[in-house]
């Protein structure tokens, strides 16, 4: 019997990489992540890890991987790989959890958001399918924005919900949702809550509140009326079931085109008005929803991706570097109170 592993008498194979040691006996402050300035990730258990191979029968690590032979059993056995924390010898007896985090080994690892090189020996999150990497600071900001805007994508092949690559690479999801813990336990708990809500809403034939910073799931079956109210007590805004827009601002009832809201901008491709409020997340219009949801003159959905700041097709040459997220200097309007519904 053979397995695709290199032989070693100690069971250690392959280069070091990052794992999550949930009950690490090494204090977070003494970890490599903490020394690199990643306190949140260190508290979440981010550690340099090792991949090992052992006998599946006796769990002994003195094996010949080429032959599939366990010297402890003195017999040919099925072998398995497992992960351990490499930073503490006392964690050797407990299995670590896999993550999508890597340890940069050279100067070729570059963050796809800030375009800065990740220093050798530092951590970065890498999306397995497209190989785009994010340093941990940019990853935390990305996760916060994606979860706040409920941009959580399903992966039917893996039967899970995860986050898609911020570069819009198709079907490029984080494989291990434990990676999201590296952005903080609070945002991870919200991710799990929203993912559960999305799953239940889709299964019931419901919909999601289209208002920015809400996205609350509305369980189906939906009523036959034209307007429903968002059930989120912090939102409660009316939703038009015809165009999935704010029922006060849409023109479905009167057959008119809604006037531009103060601070809104026109899509450079379909000319539909779009309002991106301060702190609504990234300036990427169309992220996670298949592009701009405005209508072309022929009635088809626009579907284009563009930047709310410079009005160019996303990503522009400086969008992700200079103004990817809202800041005190951007011209996005502050959130205003929703007007009373007209009769």
């Amino acid at each position: 019997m053979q397995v695709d592993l290199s032989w070693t008498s100690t069971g250690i194979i392959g280069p070091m990489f990052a794992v999550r040691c949930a009950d690490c006996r090494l204090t977070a402050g003494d970890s490599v992540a903490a020394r690199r300035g990643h306190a949140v990730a260190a508290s979440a258990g981010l550690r340099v890890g090792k991949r090992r191979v052992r006998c599946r029968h006796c769990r002994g690590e003195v094996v010949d991987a080429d032959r599939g032979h366990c010297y402890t059993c003195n017999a040919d056995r099925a072998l398995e790989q497992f992960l351990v924390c490499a930073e503490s010898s006392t964690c050797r007896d407990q299995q670590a959890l896999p993550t999508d985090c890597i340890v940069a080994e050279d100067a070729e690892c570059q963050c796809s958001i800030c375009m800065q090189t990740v220093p050798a020996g530092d951590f970065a999150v890498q999306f397995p399918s497209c190989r785009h990497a994010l340093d941990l600071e940019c990853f935390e900001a990305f996760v916060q924005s994606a979860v706040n805007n409920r941009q959580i994508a399903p992966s039917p092949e893996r039967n899970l919900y995860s986050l898609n690559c911020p570069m819009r690479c198709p079907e490029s999801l984080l494989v291990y949702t434990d990676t999201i813990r590296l952005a903080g336990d609070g945002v991870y708990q919200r991710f799990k809550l929203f993912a559960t809500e999305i799953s239940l809403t889709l299964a019931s034939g419901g919909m999601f509140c289209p208002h920015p910073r809400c996205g609350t799931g509305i369980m189906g079956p939906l009523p036959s009326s034209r307007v429903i109210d968002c059930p989120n007590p912090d939102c409660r805004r009316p939703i038009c079931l015809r165009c999935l827009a704010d029922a006060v601002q849409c023109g479905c009832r009167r057959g008119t085109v809604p006037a531009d809201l103060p601070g809104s901008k026109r899509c450079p491709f379909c000319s539909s008005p779009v309002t991106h409020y301060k702190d609504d997340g990234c300036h990427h219009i169309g992220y996670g929803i298949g592009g701009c949801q405005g209508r072309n003159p022929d009635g088809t959905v626009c579907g284009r991706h563009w930047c709310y700041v410079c009005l160019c097709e996303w990503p522009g040459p400086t969008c992700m570097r200079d103004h990817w997220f809202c800041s005190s200097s951007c011209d996005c309007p502050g959130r205003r109170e929703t007007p009373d519904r007209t009769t």
Side-chain angles (χ1 to χ4, degrees):
M1 173 184 176
Q2 291 187 346
V3 291
D4 187 19
L5 302 169
S6 59
W7 179 86
T8 172
S9 61
T10 62
I12 303 174
I13 61 171
M16 292 194 301
F17 53 96
V19 298
R20 179 174 173 267
C21 190
D23 299 311
C24 189
R25 299 184 179 99
L26 180 72
T27 59
D30 294 329
S31 66
V32 174
R35 294 199 298 270
R36 289 282 182 173
H38 311 307
V40 175
S43 299
L46 180 65
R47 302 289 187 269
V48 175
K50 288 182 181 179
R51 190 187 306 273
R52 296 178 180 272
V53 60
R54 65 190 175 192
C55 172
R56 187 173 294 176
H57 178 73
C58 71
R59 295 186 176 268
E61 298 180 31
V62 185
V63 299
D64 185 334
D66 288 333
R67 293 170 48 204
H69 184 82
C70 173
Y71 289 101
T72 304
C73 298
N74 195 25
D76 292 345
R77 298 289 192 185
L79 306 181
E80 64 181 3
Q81 298 184 49
F82 70 106
L83 307 175
V84 296
C85 170
E87 296 188 35
S88 173
S89 59
T90 58
C91 292
R92 179 187 175 92
D93 59 338
Q94 64 181 24
Q95 187 165 331
L97 301 172
T99 69
D100 296 292
C101 198
I102 62 172
V103 179
E105 297 181 351
D106 49 43
E108 295 181 358
C109 183
Q110 186 181 61
C111 176
S112 297
I113 293 178
C114 66
M115 308 306 292
Q116 299 296 315
T117 299
V118 179
D122 205 350
F123 297 94
V125 173
Q126 187 174 64
F127 288 80
S129 297
C130 62
R131 314 298 290 178
H132 283 132
L134 310 180
D135 63 40
L136 290 190
E137 287 75 14
C138 291
F139 178 71
E140 287 183 27
F142 160 69
V143 172
Q144 290 279 358
S145 175
V147 173
N148 285 344
N149 291 280
R150 306 196 185 206
Q151 294 166 341
I152 300 171
S155 176
E157 296 81 7
R158 301 189 183 98
N159 194 28
L160 57 80
Y161 283 82
S162 186
L163 300 181
N164 206 351
C165 173
M167 302 296 108
R168 298 189 289 114
C169 299
E171 299 181 1
S172 183
L173 300 170
L174 292 174
V175 174
Y176 305 108
T177 54
D178 258 320
T179 309
I180 301 173
R181 285 185 183 269
L182 304 182
D185 189 64
V187 70
Y188 177 71
Q189 296 302 326
R190 291 174 58 228
F191 163 79
K192 291 200 302 181
L193 176 65
F194 292 163
T196 302
E197 182 180 282
I198 290 171
S199 177
L200 294 175
T201 302
L202 293 177
S204 68
M207 60 169 289
F208 303 95
C209 176
H211 294 99
R213 302 283 289 181
C214 183
T216 299
I218 303 173
M219 302 294 288
L222 298 175
S224 57
S225 59
R226 186 186 71 87
V227 177
I228 59 174
D229 291 326
C230 175
N232 184 351
D234 295 327
C235 180
R236 294 294 187 189
R237 284 174 285 190
I239 305 167
C240 174
L241 293 181
R242 293 181 185 174
C243 64
L244 300 183
D246 193 309
V248 175
Q249 301 160 5
C250 79
C252 292
R253 183 164 187 168
R254 300 181 179 85
T256 59
V257 177
D260 289 6
L261 298 175
S264 67
K265 296 183 180 181
R266 291 270 177 176
C267 171
F269 303 103
C270 69
S271 296
S272 297
V274 175
T275 304
H276 182 279
Y277 292 107
K278 185 80 74 175
D279 297 327
D280 269 350
C282 63
H283 290 122
H284 175 180
I285 302 301
Y287 175 74
I289 57 173
C292 174
Q293 295 300 295
R295 296 285 175 172
N296 294 313
D298 60 359
T300 58
V301 176
C302 174
R304 301 292 290 272
H305 295 259
W306 53 282
C307 175
Y308 194 78
V309 174
C310 58
L311 301 180
C312 69
E313 186 167 15
W314 186 276
T318 62
C319 295
M320 291 182 290
R321 184 189 67 195
D322 296 342
H323 47 254
W324 193 31
F325 295 98
C326 269
S327 66
S328 57
S329 61
C330 69
D331 59 353
C332 298
R335 185 164 302 284
R336 63 186 183 85
E337 294 296 326
T338 303
D340 294 334
R341 189 187 307 181
T342 57
T343 57

